[in-house]
Amino acid sequence: MPKASRSQSNAAKSCRCLSLRCLSILAIFLALFSALYSYLNARLEQFYIFEPGQLHDLSQRAIAAHGNDTRSVVNYIVSELDEKVPSQFVNKEEEWVFNNAGGAMGAMYIIHASITEYLIVFGTAIGTEGHTGRHTADDYFNILQGTQLAYVPGSYEPEVYPQGTVHHLRRGEVKQYKMEESCFALEYARGWIPPMLFFGYADTFSSTLDFPTLWATSRITGREMIKNLLQMKL
């Protein structure tokens, strides 16, 4: 066999070996990742520090104490959380940033963000409408002020969530939602939070091109998640 042919044959064999090695490494990685995911997913409850029922009760008590004074309602909620939850897990700095997701626009204040939970105040003073997204976490939307409407295909009537109620969007479900006028909520998500960020970022690249807001959101979310990871809070 000519030298050139032998060289080409050896190169082809080397490429095949490299490809098989890469595929083997990838298969091992996927198997380990799947095993770790299954293990952690079955034990998610042990990582949570908030409870939906307690947050709903807290929201109702804050409303009873301050009515439509939403700023005071939020202060009441954050103050009590700071007392009852280890303070290192509660962000008391009221850093508001715009949030565009699913065609809806509002603003949010991140109280807590970690790998398995987030707790925010989300809302708008002028109304908005959009797509909820289909998420890897359960979402509990405690209405602090105003009314939220929701719609699912096949229904001829809207779901109505007035002040003091909670709208539970189950993991994997999707709805259209609307806040006709001023509406704010204490929003709590529990499950796998990082995959939800893609939905939260998509409108920046497809519509708003508001990169300063994207940076502010990433900075605050990343800071809180890393801080909580360093404190062994998944």
Side-chain angles (χ1 to χ4, degrees):
M1 181 184 290
K3 280 187 177 181
S5 298
R6 283 201 300 271
S7 297
Q8 289 174 353
S9 176
N10 290 336
K13 288 179 181 177
S14 297
C15 286
R16 284 196 295 272
C17 289
L18 185 60
S19 297
L20 287 172
R21 190 177 300 116
C22 289
L23 287 173
S24 298
I25 292 170
L26 180 61
I28 291 169
F29 172 78
L30 289 175
L32 291 173
F33 178 81
S34 298
L36 179 63
Y37 172 81
S38 298
Y39 176 83
L40 293 175
N41 197 53
R43 293 160 178 79
L44 275 177
E45 288 287 337
Q46 72 187 57
F47 300 114
Y48 300 142
I49 59 175
F50 300 102
E51 289 295 331
Q54 292 173 348
L55 292 172
H56 186 209
D57 174 68
L58 174 56
S59 298
Q60 289 182 316
R61 287 189 286 107
I63 292 166
H66 297 287
N68 287 319
D69 182 356
T70 312
R71 185 180 299 278
S72 295
V73 168
V74 171
N75 289 338
Y76 183 104
I77 290 169
V78 175
S79 295
E80 182 164 318
L81 288 174
D82 189 39
E83 291 174 4
K84 296 192 174 179
V85 176
S87 60
Q88 67 268 30
F89 298 130
V90 177
N91 175 27
K92 298 184 286 296
E93 303 232 359
E94 203 167 329
E95 303 165 290
W96 285 91
V97 291
F98 273 127
N99 178 260
N100 289 81
M105 183 173 184
M108 65 178 177
Y109 155 34
I110 299 174
I111 299 171
H112 174 87
S114 60
I115 300 300
T116 58
E117 295 174 289
Y118 76 66
L119 183 66
I120 67 174
V121 176
F122 172 80
T124 171
I126 60 175
T128 192
E129 179 180 2
H131 189 292
T132 61
R134 195 182 300 273
H135 300 303
T136 51
D138 282 273
D139 188 271
Y140 300 84
F141 209 71
N142 295 274
I143 309 299
L144 303 178
Q145 187 251 313
T147 299
Q148 184 194 49
L149 304 177
Y151 170 75
V152 293
S155 174
Y156 289 96
E157 298 293 334
E159 299 173 11
V160 182
Y161 299 96
Q163 184 183 44
T165 62
V166 59
H167 178 191
H168 178 196
L169 182 70
R170 289 173 177 80
R171 184 189 223 184
E173 290 185 353
V174 63
K175 297 180 184 181
Q176 176 189 9
Y177 76 97
K178 184 177 185 179
M179 298 147 79
E180 286 189 307
E181 297 176 342
S182 178
C183 183
F184 287 86
L186 180 69
E187 182 180 357
Y188 171 56
R190 52 162 41 191
W192 295 110
I193 304 305
M196 298 176 73
L197 297 177
F198 295 106
F199 175 74
Y201 286 162
D203 278 20
T204 299
F205 297 100
S206 64
S207 176
T208 69
L209 302 180
D210 183 5
F211 295 109
T213 291
L214 178 70
W215 165 245
T217 302
S218 302
R219 177 179 57 80
I220 297 168
T221 304
R223 182 194 70 203
E224 294 300 309
M225 282 188 168
I226 292 169
K227 180 184 74 176
N228 287 317
L229 273 175
L230 292 174
Q231 296 172 117
M232 306 306 290
K233 166 63 179 79
L234 194 63

